[in-house]
Each structure stands twice: as C-alpha cells, then as structure tokens.
C-alpha cells in the first residue's frame, strides 16, 4: 500500500523524458552553466565539484542519476535537476545533511533528496539565509525534510515530502515573511511526525494550499509566532489538524480539515486569533479551545461543522466571539 501511494503521488508530477544529450534547458540564468553527469565534454561527475567551481549567479544543471553526496552550497546558485524522479542526491555516505545551505538567493529544483544522517536533515539552512527557493522536489527518508532557522523570504513550494521520520518534517524557527505553498506532506509509516511547524517568533508567514495527511500534527504555529496565515490547506487523518500553541494574532481560514483526532486546537495563551470559513468534518473534536490556558479573545465565525463526534469542546465563560451575526 505504501509503495502504491508513493508511486501515485510521484506519477502525478512526472515530466516527459528526453535524452541526456539535449540542449541547455530554457531556464533564466545570469551567469554560466556547469553540467554534472550526462555525456557532454567537460561535464562534472560530482555535484560538489561543480559547486566549488561555480560563481555567484551560475547555474549547475544535473542530469539523471544517483549522486552519493552530501553537498554544501555557499554561493548564490541555481541548482537544477533534470527530472525529480530520477535525479537523486543520496546522503547516506556521510553523517551530515544531504544539502547544507550557507548562502542567500539559492534556488533548488528537480531532485529527489534522500537518506540524510540520523542526526541531520534533508536540507539544513544555516541561520540568516534570505531569498532561498526549494521548488518541485521529492524529499524522503531523512531525519527531517527541512530545517529553516532565522531566515526570510524563503519559498518552499510544490514539493512531495514523504516519510521523514523525526519531528518536525518542515520546521521554521525565528523565521518571518516566508511562503510554504502547494506541498504534499505525508507519513505512510507508523512513526508519525509533525508535518509543518512554525515556531519561536516566526511572523508573517503564509502557509497556503498544502496537502497534509497522516501526521502527528498537520500545521503547528507556536511560541510567540504572530500574523501568520494558514489558508486553503487540506489536512486529514492527523492527531491535530491545525494547532496554535502560544501563538496569537494568526489567521486560520478556508481550510478543509477532516478525519483528525482534533480539527483545530487552540491552547497555551493562543488568543486574538481569527478562525473563519473553514470546513471541519469527521473529526473526533472539530474545534478545541482551552480557555483555562488563556486562549481567549479570538474571532470564530462562518466555519462549517459537520459529522464531527463533537463539533466544539470549550470551557465555559469563553471571551471568544462566535458567529452571532459577525461581522
């Protein structure tokens, strides 16, 4: 069943295959092109060798194959894989992350990124990286998929993230003004992890259009993180669909949240949030608000509850504002 699910998800995004001797792909680039693999004269055999010989704004293009490497990117590079299903960076040869990012304005697209050390991640950002894009990759069987500390203007979009086995799978800490868009995040094994987590003063992030399934927590915002938007996501079969923990002044809207133990959970000083226009169905508890831990003064309106075992669980004397004509 697991293999069938992975093949189905991967198959959705398979691109037409072309011979490795094809001309240079039509991608924007300000600098030179360096090639890894393939059969062209002067092509590198290792990705790291090409990166070390590249300069800022160059493109490193990698042909199909499995590259047993743990790579370090310390320049503003466009790193492109030929086909994410068949261009594989396997980090099993060293006790490190598969990719270590140490530069701004890096773009990584078109790879399978797999087999990090048990103590590292698929992609590990050094603090204070700005303007990084991780687009259209498969990130699987790593300790965690992505760790993004103290970074801004990061774009994590359209990746397939499967079976990364230590919490959280995608983790932002002290990082603001980032976008997490259109990713598929799934755990098919029994070892559940948090799927997408935004922690520790991470503000003004947009988490939109993701599909999250069978995780411990679908989307978590916590520890003094404010002004984040969680919208238009599909979250099902998780312990918690959306969890706000110590997080105030965030917006949760237009999500489809179904078949979770708890659809939306507000606790530990999670006040002044706006929860609206969500479809919340087939959960054990649709919405759980812990007033005893001061999760109050939120606006909750125009949500659709149906077929939950308990639509709402809330301690009496709430100071939250419910529909009642609002707005």
């Amino acid at each position: 069943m697991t293999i069938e699910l992975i093949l189905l998800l991967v198959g959705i995004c398979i691109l037409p295959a072309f011979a490795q001797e094809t001309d240079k792909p039509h991608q924007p680039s300000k600098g030179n092109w360096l090639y890894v693999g393939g059969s062209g004269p002067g092509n590198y055999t290792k990705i790291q060798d090409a990166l070390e010989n590249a300069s800022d704004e160059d493109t490193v293009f990698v042909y199909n194959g499995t590259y047993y490497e743990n790579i370090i990117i310390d320049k503003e590079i466009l790193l492109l894989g030929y086909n994410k299903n068949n261009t594989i960076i396997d980090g099993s040869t060293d006790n490190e992350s598969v990719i270590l990012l140490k530069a701004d304005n890096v773009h990584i697209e078109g790879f399978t990124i797999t087999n990090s050390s048990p103590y590292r991640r698929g992609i590990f950002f050094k603090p204070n990286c700005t303007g990084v894009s991780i687009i259209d990759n498969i990130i699987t069987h790593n300790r965690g998929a992505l760790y993004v500390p103290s970074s801004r203007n990061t774009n994590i979009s359209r990746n397939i993230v499967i079976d990364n086995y230590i919490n959280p799978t995608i983790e932002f800490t002290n990082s603001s003004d980032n976008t997490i868009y259109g990713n598929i995040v799934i755990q098919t094994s029994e070892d559940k992890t948090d799927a997408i987590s935004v922690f520790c003063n991470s503000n003004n992030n947009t988490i939109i259009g993701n599909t999250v399934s069978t995780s411990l927590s679908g989307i978590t915002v916590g520890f003094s993180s404010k002004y984040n938007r969680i919208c238009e996501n599909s979250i099902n079969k998780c312990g918690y669909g959306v969890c706000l923990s110590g997080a105030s002044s965030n917006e949760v809207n237009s999500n489809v949240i179904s078949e979770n133990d708890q659809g939306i959970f507000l606790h530990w000083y999670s006040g002044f949030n706006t929860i609206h226009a969500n479809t919340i169905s087939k959960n054990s508890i649709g919405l759980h608000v812990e007033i005893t831990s001061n999760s109050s003064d939120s606006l909750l309106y125009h949500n659709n509850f149906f077929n939950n075992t308990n639509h709402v669980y809330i301690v009496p004397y709430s100071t939250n504002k419910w529909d009642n004509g609002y707005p």
Side-chain angles (χ1 to χ4, degrees):
M1 180 64 183
T2 298
I3 294 174
E4 293 174 353
L5 176 59
I6 293 173
L7 290 174
L8 175 61
L9 292 171
V10 172
I12 293 171
C13 302
I14 290 176
L15 300 176
F18 297 93
Q20 288 195 347
E21 289 75 15
T22 184
D23 292 336
K24 180 189 299 183
H26 296 289
Q27 294 282 349
S29 176
K30 297 180 181 179
N32 297 315
W33 285 69
L34 296 84
Y35 296 91
V36 182
S39 58
N43 288 12
Y44 294 88
T45 58
K46 290 185 173 293
I47 300 170
Q48 189 64 53
D49 291 343
L51 292 170
E52 290 176 0
N53 284 281
S55 301
D56 286 342
E57 299 187 342
D58 283 353
T59 295
V60 174
F61 181 83
V62 184
Y63 287 107
N64 286 346
T66 299
Y67 300 84
Y68 293 95
E69 301 186 54
N70 303 81
I71 67 174
I72 299 172
I73 303 176
D74 58 3
K75 302 165 186 172
E76 297 185 6
I77 291 293
L78 180 62
L79 179 61
L80 296 178
Y82 187 83
N83 180 317
K84 70 173 178 288
N85 302 288
N86 299 310
T87 311
I88 302 166
I89 308 176
D90 186 314
S92 61
T93 58
D94 202 349
N95 292 321
E96 297 294 341
S97 296
V98 183
I99 299 175
L100 175 62
L101 277 174
K102 301 171 66 175
D104 297 337
N105 302 317
V106 172
H107 182 106
I108 300 173
E109 181 175 349
F111 293 91
T112 290
I113 299 163
T114 189
N115 289 334
S116 74
S117 157
Y119 308 103
R120 296 292 186 263
R121 309 294 176 101
I123 303 175
F124 188 100
F125 287 54
K126 284 291 188 179
N128 302 312
C129 292
T130 299
V132 173
S133 297
I134 311 296
I135 309 290
D136 195 26
N137 302 280
I138 299 169
I139 308 174
T140 184
H141 292 107
N142 302 286
R143 180 183 185 271
L146 289 144
Y147 178 60
V148 186
S150 303
S151 298
R152 305 182 74 90
N153 299 317
T154 301
N155 182 2
I156 309 295
S157 294
R158 304 195 314 276
N159 301 284
I160 298 173
V161 183
I162 300 176
D163 288 343
N164 298 276
Y165 52 88
I166 297 294
N167 282 339
T169 297
I170 298 173
E171 180 179 3
F172 283 73
T173 61
N174 193 33
S175 294
S176 298
D177 304 308
N178 304 292
T179 300
I180 307 170
Y181 164 72
N183 303 283
I184 297 171
V185 187
I186 292 178
Q187 294 296 116
T188 64
S189 67
E190 294 182 358
D191 298 325
K192 305 304 182 189
T193 66
D194 292 344
I196 299 171
S197 297
V198 176
F199 287 133
C200 300
N201 300 300
S202 293
N203 305 317
N204 298 307
N205 298 291
T206 300
I207 306 170
I208 180 171
N210 301 282
T211 298
V212 180
S213 182
T214 56
S215 298
L216 184 63
S217 176
I219 297 172
T220 301
V221 177
F223 305 114
S224 301
S225 295
K226 297 182 178 180
Y227 313 119
N228 298 286
R229 293 181 63 236
I230 303 169
C231 56
E232 299 177 19
N233 302 283
S234 175
I235 308 167
N236 70 89
K237 298 181 180 178
C238 298
Y240 301 97
V242 175
C243 178
L244 303 183
S245 178
S248 299
S249 303
N250 300 283
E251 181 181 4
V252 181
N253 78 283
S254 302
N255 302 282
V256 177
I257 302 170
S258 64
E259 299 181 77
N260 306 285
D261 292 338
Q262 301 193 38
I264 300 176
F265 184 37
L266 277 65
H267 74 127
W268 195 250
Y269 295 91
S270 292
F272 302 97
N273 295 290
T274 301
I275 314 295
H276 69 103
N278 299 284
T279 299
I280 304 169
S281 68
K282 299 181 182 179
N283 304 283
S284 296
I285 300 175
L287 173 64
H288 182 180
V289 183
E290 283 195 352
I291 300 304
T292 54
S293 59
N294 201 29
S295 294
S296 300
D297 299 305
S298 292
L299 301 175
L300 305 103
Y301 62 94
H302 296 176
N303 298 288
N304 298 310
F305 295 88
F306 61 94
N307 293 336
N308 300 288
T309 304
N310 295 288
H311 290 314
V312 176
Y313 180 83
I314 190 167
V315 176
Y317 311 113
S318 165
T319 58
N320 295 295
K321 297 178 181 179
W322 295 80
D323 260 342
N324 194 28
Y326 183 88

